[in-house]
Amino acid sequence: NDLASLLDVSVNEIISVCMSLGMFVSINQRLDAEAITIIADEFGYEVEFTKADEEEEVEEVEDSPEDLGDRAPIVTIMGHVDHGKTSLLDYIRSSKVTSGEAGGITQHIGAYDVRTDNGDKIAFLDTPGHEAFTAMRARGAKITDVAIIVIAADDSIMPQTKEAINHAQVAGVPMIFAINKIDKPNANPNKIKEELANMNLLVEDWGGKYQSQEISAKTGQGVDELLEKVLLEAEILELKANPDRKAMGTVVEASLDKGRGYVSTVMIQNGTLKIGDIMLAGQHYGRVKAMFDHLGQKVQEAEPSTPVQVLGLSGAPQAGDILKVYDTEREAREIANSREQINREQSMRTKKHITLDEIGRRLAIGSFKELNIIIKGDVDGSVEALSDSLLKLSKDEVSVNIIHKGVGQISESDVLLASASDAIILGFQVRPSSSAKRLAEQEEIEIRHYSIIYDAINQIKDAIEGMLEPEF
Ligand code: GDP
């Protein structure tokens, strides 16, 4: 409706242009910038977006180099269940609390920071596992600088190890392998390195590029060396932040506390968060009333790469939401309100993720360049066969990427990965778990089931050639 009056045409004309582009819209629907540009072009107009249209989020003030200081790395620990993620997080937390902080009692707030014996700071996300990591990434949060992949030396590379590696690689986050449980008599770290090598992940002491460290999360052996390697990796990344600007961070977790109201743990990524600042996260805003560190001690400010519990938001944001500080409450409130409205509209809108039917529409508006696919199957042979054939469908205009493949049921983690990378999931003779199915519905991830490889290939082929008949 708004666009129609701006272009001085009737609403019906806009709707029919949209339909010709494969978009079925209603009169009150909010259109994205790209759609507006294309529609306006149909009527001979060129669109220029003003600052107000783009919402504050786009306005990211560049820090000038002289304002930037080093910031500590933020680390996520991932790996297969029972390989020792929690033990490692607990060992690091309990052994690296500096004396100045003593007296506080460890609180599990979703993140903590420590100082190594050399005084270097490292922040850890205390939600081990790639599900949390990828759920955040699905919300657009980029928070992890380095991933530690824990692998038990008395076991093997397991499915979740592979998934963790996969998720880190897709996110472009450097990995360090922590080969754990070397205190055990049956530990065989060389076997793990060999298995890694078989996956094309050659560790440094075998002449490769991946750092690895043998550790025991139980006795603490090798943990200092592991932290040194994290710092080395961080040095290469040249992590910088400007502590003198308004704070920006990512929500790690949030809850409603009986006595204190909404409590959110935020990993500060740039700037410094101070008491009294006006903050906005997701659809919620408010003044910073109080802040606590992971030892439950009150703090007045939080610098980059510091996790803090923040009190004062009007509600509980979601993990992965960005928290930002604004000059005025009015500004924060307006953005909060408009986000609420957009969320409401979006939840009523069409699919937010790719589906085979959607490919045709995206091809029509020229926004389709690559199709990400996750393949799960009952046997390795068919997964490989399917993946090889699908890769061959890549053309100049559209490339087909197999971002993950494996044997077994379609899991929640597959759905999260699909959500984070806008992928569709193909199940060959396998079904999703009930939780994965629920999540897929919620995240609007398309899962297609096949029992004949040829059918799968043909459908994908038709889709990327823009020839797929919609299913009714
Ligand atoms: P997570 O599922 O990856 O978080 O694994 P946990 O940290 O819960 O560890 C699983 C089990 O392995 C627990 O019983 C731990 O006590 C044990 N464990 C973890 N690390 C070590 C280690 O370095 N040495 C030995 N012997 N046991 C360990």
Side-chain angles (χ1 to χ4, degrees):
N1 193 25
D2 290 345
L3 186 60
S5 55
L6 278 172
L7 298 179
D8 200 19
V9 297
S10 77
V11 173
N12 281 339
E13 282 177 273
I14 301 270
I15 291 179
S16 74
V17 168
C18 287
M19 277 173 75
S20 71
L21 296 168
M23 292 188 298
F24 299 92
V25 298
S26 68
I27 183 163
N28 292 321
Q29 187 156 331
R30 195 175 286 268
L31 299 165
D32 58 28
E34 193 181 359
I36 292 173
T37 309
I38 295 165
I39 296 162
D41 183 55
E42 292 282 320
F43 293 98
Y45 289 92
E46 201 174 301
V47 183
E48 212 172 278
F49 292 93
T50 64
K51 198 126 210 178
D53 294 327
E54 290 173 16
E55 219 201 282
E56 255 68 2
E57 284 178 279
V58 188
E59 165 249 359
E60 196 44 71
V61 187
E62 283 282 327
D63 293 301
S64 51
E66 64 270 21
D67 296 334
L68 290 173
D70 292 336
R71 77 170 171 81
I74 302 171
V75 179
T76 298
I77 296 184
M78 304 197 269
H80 196 72
V81 63
D82 280 346
H83 278 196
K85 300 179 293 291
T86 313
S87 306
L88 178 59
L89 276 162
D90 288 347
Y91 181 85
I92 295 170
R93 173 176 19 225
S94 60
S95 63
K96 300 293 166 205
V97 170
T98 57
S99 53
E101 294 171 321
I105 300 161
T106 303
Q107 320 269 315
H108 282 265
I109 64 167
Y112 65 82
D113 53 346
V114 295
R115 271 185 200 284
T116 66
D117 298 342
N118 294 336
D120 296 308
K121 216 179 98 168
I122 305 178
F124 286 88
L125 291 172
D126 192 7
T127 37
H130 53 271
E131 284 83 2
F133 172 78
T134 301
M136 284 215 194
R137 222 165 60 76
R139 303 192 54 73
K142 291 189 202 76
I143 181 165
T144 302
D145 300 309
V146 177
I148 294 179
I149 312 286
V150 176
I151 311 169
D154 64 341
D155 200 359
S156 314
I157 304 248
M158 297 298 280
Q160 287 171 39
T161 320
K162 282 192 188 157
E163 282 181 20
I165 290 171
N166 212 278
H167 286 227
Q169 283 179 327
V170 172
V173 173
M175 296 180 282
I176 300 177
F177 297 107
I179 303 178
N180 190 29
K181 307 199 187 183
I182 50 157
D183 59 291
K184 288 185 129 183
N186 57 339
N188 186 354
N190 276 338
K191 177 178 156 236
I192 303 295
K193 291 180 190 173
E194 193 177 323
E195 289 178 350
L196 285 171
N198 289 337
M199 293 172 67
N200 252 335
L201 302 163
L202 209 53
V203 297
E204 258 184 351
D205 40 341
W206 285 24
K209 65 171 183 176
Y210 294 95
Q211 299 201 75
S212 77
Q213 178 63 43
E214 293 169 20
I215 62 160
S216 164
K218 191 172 162 192
T219 67
Q221 185 187 343
V223 173
D224 282 335
E225 289 83 352
L226 176 67
L227 298 183
E228 284 309 315
K229 289 181 178 172
V230 168
L231 291 167
L232 202 68
E233 202 71 54
E235 219 170 278
I236 300 167
L237 294 171
E238 295 187 25
L239 304 167
K240 303 278 179 203
N242 173 7
D244 297 323
R245 62 180 286 169
K246 283 180 286 185
M248 189 285 275
T250 298
V251 175
V252 176
E253 62 177 45
S255 60
L256 179 60
D257 182 296
K258 272 196 273 32
R260 303 189 291 173
Y262 290 100
V263 181
S264 312
T265 298
V266 180
M267 180 67 81
I268 305 298
Q269 288 165 284
N270 204 359
T272 299
L273 188 65
K274 303 187 180 95
I275 302 282
D277 278 350
I278 296 156
M279 57 182 167
L280 169 75
Q283 312 174 15
H284 307 288
Y285 68 99
R287 255 176 213 282
V288 180
K289 276 198 252 165
M291 291 193 282
F292 301 90
D293 64 13
H294 69 275
L295 295 168
Q297 291 174 330
K298 264 201 159 141
V299 292
Q300 295 302 311
E301 38 179 64
E303 293 195 337
S305 298
T306 308
V308 271
Q309 267 198 321
V310 181
L311 271 58
L313 280 175
S314 56
Q318 280 184 280
D321 277 343
I322 306 295
L323 177 135
K324 277 179 79 171
V325 166
Y326 288 85
D327 287 328
T328 65
E329 191 158 329
R330 194 180 57 89
E331 220 180 333
R333 184 177 49 236
E334 275 171 11
I335 298 173
N337 289 344
S338 90
R339 280 188 188 163
E340 204 186 319
Q341 192 189 349
I342 290 171
N343 276 354
R344 222 182 306 122
E345 286 173 12
Q346 268 181 350
S347 64
M348 298 187 303
R349 240 215 279 182
T350 45
K351 301 254 177 289
K352 60 181 174 193
H353 285 296
I354 191 73
T355 64
L356 282 193
D357 296 336
E358 167 88 354
I359 291 175
R361 184 187 84 82
R362 295 203 193 172
L363 281 173
I365 59 174
S367 67
F368 193 70
K369 296 278 173 287
E370 50 186 22
L371 174 60
N372 290 335
I373 298 179
I374 294 173
I375 304 175
K376 291 302 275 284
D378 57 343
V379 287
D380 203 41
S382 34
V383 171
E384 291 301 328
L386 188 54
S387 135
D388 287 348
S389 310
L390 290 177
L391 282 175
K392 289 194 194 121
L393 296 178
S394 287
K395 316 183 286 176
D396 290 346
E397 315 87 81
V398 180
S399 70
V400 176
N401 308 320
I402 310 296
I403 58 166
H404 178 57
K405 59 187 172 188
V407 171
Q409 214 181 20
I410 297 164
S411 65
E412 266 182 280
S413 130
D414 295 327
V415 177
L416 284 170
L417 182 61
S419 175
S421 19
D422 199 16
I424 60 170
I425 301 177
L426 304 187
F428 187 77
Q429 304 271 37
V430 291
R431 299 256 139 205
S433 66
S434 56
S435 56
K437 195 166 171 212
R438 229 174 301 126
L439 188 65
E441 273 161 22
Q442 193 186 317
E443 294 287 313
E444 296 176 356
I445 295 301
E446 178 168 51
I447 302 180
R448 291 236 166 187
H449 301 285
Y450 296 97
S451 46
I452 301 171
I453 290 184
Y454 182 76
D455 285 348
I457 298 165
N458 269 352
Q459 276 202 355
I460 303 290
K461 184 162 177 276
D462 285 352
I464 58 178
E465 285 171 2
M467 288 165 33
L468 192 76
E469 295 282 329
E471 275 182 25
F472 294 106

